[in-house]
Amino acid sequence: ETGVTQTPRHLVMGMTNKKSLKCEQHLGHNAMYWYKQSAKKPLELMFVYSLEERVENNSVPSRFSPECPNSSHLFLHLHTLQPEDSALYLCASSQDSLGNSPLHFGNGTRLTVT
Amino acid sequence: AQKITQTQPGMFVQEKEAVTLDCTYDTSDQSYGLFWYKQPSSGEMIFLIYQGSYDEQNATEGRYSLNFQKARKSANLVISASQLGDSAMYFCAMKSNAGGTSYGKLTFGQGTILTVHP
């Protein structure tokens, strides 16, 4: 496989459930990101990991918990979510040290909170 | 603070014609990069083209070109010879290299939906 792979593609969960989103990149990049895309809103940066260290948390509620065990894998653990958390969650990676390096995105996980 | 503005919620173009998607940005940084992404209905964000703030020439990638006007802070995307497969949402984004952070924190615009008619 090449590029950035996200699983699952679709997820429906109740407000009391606990689930995890998974992201894997096969590009040798050393920075990974979680973005949230809600309807009629620009993409919102949630978390940034550089060399497996979290370097940015964009005031994200604690019900979202990221984990980066190595430079190729990124998780987003979800618990006690709210209906307004329903959105497309996009994972991305980039070559950290290059200022002009684009982000490479996965296909996203479409999350519905019921 | 950085801001990206895409004023066209939707655009229509005839197949084989050219189309320009507008993007203006606001930043006080001297060094920054501008990106365009395409998002088909499948959801994936596809990188199209990049323009650095110090690049003197407009970027081109195949049918895509970027009309970069630094003084006006605009970075419009031009798609030539439109194809039906170009129908998608298009996002303009900016990355600042200020503050020593080289990782890719992108600020996105709201996007423009492009529809290509046969």
Side-chain angles (χ1 to χ4, degrees):
Chain A
E1 288 191 48
T2 58
V4 180
T5 304
Q6 288 187 244
T7 54
R9 290 296 308 275
H10 302 272
L11 178 63
V12 179
M13 60 186 288
M15 289 189 286
T16 58
N17 291 156
K18 290 184 179 180
K19 297 286 184 182
S20 296
L21 310 185
K22 179 182 176 181
C23 176
E24 185 174 0
Q25 60 98 359
H26 308 273
L27 301 168
H29 291 164
N30 51 21
M32 297 188 76
Y33 314 79
W34 280 116
Y35 276 85
K36 176 184 179 182
Q37 186 178 21
S38 305
K40 300 182 180 179
K41 294 177 69 175
L43 273 77
E44 303 170 64
L45 178 65
M46 299 176 71
F47 301 103
V48 182
Y49 277 83
S50 179
L51 297 172
E52 302 154 40
E53 179 184 349
R54 190 191 310 180
V55 294
E56 185 133 355
N57 176 344
N58 238 18
S59 303
V60 180
S62 59
R63 57 186 184 269
F64 296 91
S65 175
E67 178 190 2
C68 187
N70 54 62
S71 60
S72 298
H73 293 85
L74 184 66
F75 296 90
L76 188 62
H77 303 300
L78 316 171
H79 64 97
T80 59
L81 294 190
Q82 304 299 311
E84 60 264 28
D85 297 323
S86 298
L88 180 68
Y89 289 84
L90 289 160
C91 173
S93 69
S94 73
Q95 192 57 42
D96 181 51
S97 58
L98 298 178
N100 64 349
S101 61
L103 269 64
H104 294 261
F105 286 84
N107 285 333
T109 294
R110 177 73 62 185
L111 174 66
T112 303
V113 181
T114 61
Chain B
Q2 300 178 347
K3 186 178 180 181
I4 295 282
T5 303
Q6 294 179 253
T7 58
Q8 306 155 316
M11 288 287 286
F12 296 89
V13 65
Q14 207 69 28
E15 193 178 10
K16 300 180 184 178
E17 298 291 316
V19 63
T20 298
L21 306 184
D22 294 341
C23 172
T24 58
Y25 59 92
D26 188 19
T27 182
S28 57
D29 298 326
Q30 297 300 309
S31 177
Y32 51 89
L34 296 155
F35 301 79
W36 277 92
Y37 283 84
K38 170 185 177 183
Q39 187 178 39
S41 56
S42 60
E44 183 184 5
M45 297 282 283
I46 302 167
F47 166 68
L48 296 179
I49 195 167
Y50 165 84
Q51 180 85 43
S53 57
Y54 293 117
D55 294 342
E56 294 187 354
Q57 292 194 338
N58 287 341
T60 60
E61 286 288 345
R63 295 187 298 111
Y64 304 107
S65 61
L66 204 151
N67 184 0
F68 181 46
Q69 298 187 42
K70 192 171 182 177
R72 298 179 60 183
K73 293 188 175 179
S74 74
N76 298 339
L77 177 70
V78 181
I79 305 174
S80 62
S82 298
Q83 302 172 356
L84 297 178
D86 293 335
S87 294
M89 177 78 89
Y90 288 81
F91 290 95
C92 180
M94 177 169 63
K95 175 168 63 172
S96 169
N97 298 323
T101 56
S102 60
Y103 56 80
K105 179 180 177 180
L106 286 179
T107 301
F108 283 84
Q110 294 221 336
T112 297
I113 299 175
L114 176 66
T115 303
V116 181
H117 289 306

